[in-house]
């Protein structure tokens, strides 16, 4: 058994008005509070407009809150962006960076993701750094190569097991209902840990959490969460319903 504490993280993406966000966060906090000595940690990442309400709704519970992105600057003339200092100030503990939807929609590069992660650390946030190959890259047998390049380029040199979580999310598995086999997931996670060890040392690599993400549901969570190098899940669609989110968490409770 590893000493790594599992992390069950919900990425709400661009979903939810105030009422929905407060209801969902309240329900998650209540469900988590009903678990005695949970063996995993919980995180919800609402859209920026809901952060304050969600922070208030989960106050006093074991549910942490994170943003879905952050800028790499502390403040200034960056219309539409949110600084990691503001995110921390709003009550967040984490920031997701480099999600494939941002890599695709905003052409975010590894270099930019690295700067965002460094800025998140500087603000006192933990970074959930996302990596993962596209379907074409997988078909070309380049999964490990792509993940390696993304880790080397987007994980800062001062990353630690405390300030960083890596989320492996094959792009073709996100929101599609398709998933890699458990054997594939374990193999890629083990390779990711090897690359982290090359970059940051074996001590940090052995403690760093690597989440799997991509169509995780209550019905398949037991295929992935018990794998040796899987330390939790980053959940999109299924994090929008408390039953599904907790149904996934149940596997590691
Ligand atoms: P999904 O999304 O669970 O809806 O596939 C995962 C993610 O993008 O983080």
């Amino acid at each position: 058994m590893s000493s790594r504490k599992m992390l069950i993280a919900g990425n709400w993406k661009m979903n939810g008005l105030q009422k929905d966000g407060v209801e969902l966060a309240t329900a998650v906090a209540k469900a988590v509070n009903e678990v005695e000595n949970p063996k995993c940690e919980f995180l919800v990442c609402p859209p920026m407009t809901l952060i304050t309400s969600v922070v208030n709704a989960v106050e006093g519970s074991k549910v942490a809150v994170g943003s879905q992105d952050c800028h790499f600057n502390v403040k200034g003339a960056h219309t539409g962006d949110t600084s990691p200092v503001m995110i921390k100030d709003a009550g967040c503990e984490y920031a997701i960076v480099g999600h494939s939807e941002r890599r695709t929609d905003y052409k975010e590069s590894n270099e930019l993701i690295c700067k965002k992660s460094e800025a998140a650390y500087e603000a006192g946030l933990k970074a959930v750094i996302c990596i993962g190959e596209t379907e074409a890259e997988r078909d070309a047998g380049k999964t490990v190569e792509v993940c390696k390049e993304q880790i080397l380029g987007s994980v800062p040199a001062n990353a630690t097991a405390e300030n960083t979580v890596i989320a492996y999310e094959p792009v073709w598995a996100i929101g599609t209902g398709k998933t890699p086999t458990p054997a594939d997931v374990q193999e890629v996670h083990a390779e990711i840990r090897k690359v982290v060890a090359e970059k940051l040392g074996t001590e940090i690599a052995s403690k760093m959490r690597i989440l799997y993400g991509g169509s995780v549901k209550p019905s398949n969570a037991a295929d992935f969460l018990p794998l040796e190098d899987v330390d939790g899940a980053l959940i999109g669609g299924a994090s929008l319903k408390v039953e599904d989110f907790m149904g996934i968490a149940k596997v590691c409770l």
Side-chain angles (χ1 to χ4, degrees):
M1 273 304 273
S2 87
S3 57
R4 300 181 295 268
K5 189 133 189 197
M6 304 282 274
L7 177 65
I8 300 298
N11 173 11
W12 293 3
K13 307 194 180 182
M14 197 170 72
N15 292 294
L17 303 182
Q18 293 296 325
K19 185 171 167 286
D20 314 308
V22 170
E23 266 174 30
L24 179 56
T26 306
V28 169
K30 183 168 177 282
V32 168
N33 283 353
E34 280 164 8
V35 181
E36 241 179 86
N37 300 320
K39 291 193 194 68
C40 59
E41 291 174 6
F42 292 87
L43 168 65
V44 292
C45 300
M48 290 297 183
T49 52
L50 295 181
I51 283 180
T52 304
S53 347
V54 168
V55 164
N56 289 334
V58 302
E59 204 194 328
S61 79
K62 293 198 180 91
V63 181
V65 182
S67 64
Q68 298 171 14
D69 179 43
C70 69
H71 197 266
F72 58 85
N73 270 314
V74 166
K75 63 175 182 174
H78 302 284
T79 304
D81 279 313
T82 313
S83 125
V85 175
M86 294 168 179
I87 292 165
K88 171 77 178 168
D89 181 56
C92 286
E93 223 181 285
Y94 288 83
I96 296 175
V97 286
H99 189 280
S100 71
E101 285 149 17
R102 296 204 60 86
R103 288 182 187 260
T104 305
D105 296 353
Y106 298 97
K107 310 270 176 293
E108 292 198 0
S109 64
N110 288 326
E111 195 189 357
L112 175 68
I113 293 158
C114 188
K115 279 170 77 175
K116 289 184 173 197
S117 304
E118 284 168 348
Y121 303 159
E122 196 64 32
L125 294 166
K126 296 168 192 162
V128 179
I129 304 176
C130 303
I131 60 166
E133 82 287 359
T134 62
E135 189 147 38
E137 288 162 345
R138 160 150 302 221
D139 291 346
K142 289 189 174 155
T143 298
V144 171
E145 190 187 316
V146 168
C147 291
K148 181 168 183 172
E149 195 185 314
Q150 290 177 334
I151 294 166
L152 296 179
S154 48
V155 177
N158 61 343
T160 66
E162 287 71 40
N163 66 17
T164 302
V165 174
I166 291 178
Y168 169 57
E169 300 200 303
V171 179
W172 53 274
I174 296 177
T176 58
K178 291 194 271 184
T179 59
T181 64
D184 284 347
V185 170
Q186 169 53 31
E187 191 187 325
V188 177
H189 277 232
E191 289 294 335
I192 291 169
R193 205 175 295 288
K194 248 198 246 167
V195 178
V196 174
E198 278 166 32
K199 187 178 165 96
L200 303 169
T202 49
E203 167 88 15
I204 290 177
S206 71
K207 292 187 181 151
M208 189 171 284
R209 292 183 289 189
I210 306 172
L211 315 184
Y212 169 73
S215 297
V216 179
K217 302 179 277 220
S219 59
N220 64 18
D223 296 338
F224 303 113
L225 290 173
L227 298 170
E228 190 184 338
D229 285 293
V230 173
D231 308 309
L234 182 56
I235 308 152
S239 70
L240 296 173
K241 279 200 188 134
V242 66
E243 307 79 32
D244 290 348
F245 189 61
M246 294 309 289
I248 292 165
K250 213 166 80 186
V251 175
C252 46
L253 289 176

